[in-house]
Amino acid sequence: MEPASDLVAPRPDPALIKLIVNAHRVRTAVFSGQHGTVRHAAEALGYRQDYFAVLLRLGFLARHRHRHTRWQAAAPA
């Protein structure tokens, strides 16, 4: 087994990053109350309602800060 110092960090996946950013944008739009309804928020942001619902659910995934620069999933219990 390699020592931890020899491990190389995986490259970030741009599509996954974009998905997470969009999910949090959707969540913020809903909680802002600016659009009145989820349907209006979806229309304002240019999403179909079904995809908007998927993004909204993703916006609630837990996140943890690591070393002040990276987001990492929670460790298994």
Side-chain angles (χ1 to χ4, degrees), residues 29-69:
V30 168
F31 282 113
S32 74
Q34 180 180 2
H35 303 290
T37 66
V38 171
R39 175 181 291 163
H40 289 134
E43 291 172 0
L45 294 176
Y47 293 113
R48 292 187 333 260
Q49 288 182 43
D50 56 342
Y51 187 61
F52 188 87
V54 169
L55 289 174
L56 184 57
R57 287 191 298 266
L58 288 174
F60 284 94
L61 292 177
R63 60 183 190 233
H64 297 276
R65 286 282 287 181
H66 176 69
R67 295 187 187 178
H68 307 290
T69 58

Side-chain angles (χ1 to χ4, degrees), residues 14-35:
L16 181 58
I17 292 169
K18 183 177 178 181
L19 181 66
I20 293 169
V21 167
N22 287 339
H24 285 278
R25 183 177 298 135
V26 162
R27 182 176 180 229
T28 300
V30 168
F31 282 113
S32 74
Q34 180 180 2
H35 303 290

Side-chain angles (χ1 to χ4, degrees), residues 2-14:
E2 297 178 22
S5 61
D6 291 340
L7 296 177
V8 177
R11 290 181 151 187
D13 182 349

